[in-house]
Amino acid sequence: MARPSSAFSAGRIVERSAAIVAFLVLWELLPRLGVISEAYLSPFSVVAATVWELLSSGAAWEHGSASLSRSLSGLLLAAAGGIALGLLIGWFRRVEALLDPLLQLFRQISAFALLPVFILFLGIGEASKTAIILWASFWPILLNTVGGVRSADKLLIDSARSMGASQAYLFFRVILPSAAPSIFTGIRLGGANCITALVAAEMIGASAGLGFYTLNSQEIFQIPDMYAGILLLAAMGLLLNYVLAWVERRFTRWRRGLAAHG
């Protein structure tokens, strides 16, 4: 009985990895066959060897830790501000009426467009780098938090009110748990944005970081190193996403339990 299950699992693994394998084969063959010049696209095997050298020498850990520190700082600040403000806007209609027009204006402004402003006010140190990441990560967290509060089950809210529940009890025991999945979705989207904004952040007077390493390699035309930096950035983004998904599962286990019993 175990064989069909094992075969099914192996088939799923092959199916899910087929596109990645095909992409890597194309990446290897196109420059090798001269379809794309190796001056612009290094073969995957060369890039993989460069990644291994960076890992072995410790350079990847040095640049990766600098980038991770900046990313987490910006993301944590964005989560704190986005969740707090999102809960206020979602729960209090007057707060929404007051702040929504301004927030709708601000969220149209890209973090990249604000790069000169952050440099002007905060200089080229860590504060401006953190601010760029914070700005890029803040908006999906805010919007998903507001959406989560608004989508809370009205029947549960009315039932709690009919039993004399206080506003504080209603907020912390009904609204917040109901909004938790949407909040975590916003945090994961913010995590993806913070990795994207990291490259822009590390354009500002950085001397370490994967974004800095990638851009610097491009400037000095070390193409294998440039692609190695891109791969390491992608790996860091995937790692961050998996960690956030694990945290989400830990904090929302009760919802899966309810769904299973339902």
Side-chain angles (χ1 to χ4, degrees):
M1 295 296 292
R3 286 184 178 178
S5 177
S6 300
F8 178 75
S9 299
R12 287 293 301 273
I13 292 172
V14 171
E15 181 183 354
R16 291 178 67 86
S17 60
I20 294 176
V21 171
F23 171 73
L24 295 179
V25 169
L26 278 174
W27 186 353
E28 180 70 24
L29 291 179
L30 289 176
R32 293 289 188 193
L33 297 175
V35 178
I36 300 176
S37 172
E38 289 193 33
Y40 302 113
L41 179 66
S42 302
F44 174 71
S45 58
V46 176
V47 177
T50 305
V51 170
W52 177 251
E53 289 175 11
L54 290 171
L55 291 171
S56 302
S57 66
W61 308 113
E62 176 188 348
H63 291 291
S65 61
S67 291
L68 189 59
S69 175
R70 291 173 185 134
S71 298
L72 290 179
S73 297
L75 181 60
L76 289 174
L77 289 172
I83 293 171
L85 187 57
L87 292 173
L88 285 172
I89 292 173
W91 188 239
F92 298 105
R93 295 288 179 175
R94 288 184 178 178
V95 175
E96 180 195 15
L98 178 65
L99 295 181
D100 187 65
L102 184 63
L103 293 174
Q104 290 296 335
L105 173 64
F106 280 172
R107 79 185 186 94
Q108 307 304 321
I109 305 174
S110 164
F112 302 98
L114 289 174
L115 188 61
V117 178
F118 289 137
I119 295 174
L120 183 64
F121 280 89
L122 301 173
I124 60 173
E126 292 300 316
S128 56
K129 298 175 181 59
T130 302
I132 292 170
I133 296 169
L134 188 160
W135 185 272
S137 307
F138 174 80
W139 300 106
I141 298 173
L142 173 68
L143 295 175
N144 277 273
T145 301
V146 173
V149 173
R150 297 280 171 76
S151 64
D153 192 331
K154 302 299 181 186
L155 181 60
L156 285 177
I157 296 172
D158 292 339
S159 298
R161 280 177 173 157
S162 68
M163 291 188 291
S166 66
Q167 286 289 93
Y169 182 93
L170 191 63
F171 182 79
F172 287 105
R173 290 301 188 91
V174 179
I175 300 298
L176 194 55
S178 180
S182 292
I183 292 172
F184 277 108
T185 298
I187 292 173
R188 289 177 67 182
L189 291 171
N193 283 4
C194 85
I195 299 298
T196 304
L198 177 67
V199 179
E202 291 184 345
M203 291 170 60
I204 309 171
S207 58
L210 292 175
F212 161 77
Y213 180 82
T214 302
L215 292 167
N216 186 62
S217 298
Q218 184 268 332
E219 288 175 1
I220 62 176
F221 218 69
Q222 295 292 330
I223 304 304
D225 294 80
M226 180 189 76
Y227 284 109
I230 293 171
L231 283 183
L232 289 171
L233 278 168
M236 190 174 77
L238 281 173
L239 176 62
L240 181 60
N241 182 66
Y242 281 125
V243 169
L244 292 174
W246 177 82
V247 173
E248 178 182 3
R249 287 194 298 271
R250 294 281 294 180
F251 276 87
T252 58
R253 278 187 297 188
W254 61 273
R255 282 185 73 91
R256 295 196 301 277
L258 288 176
H261 285 92

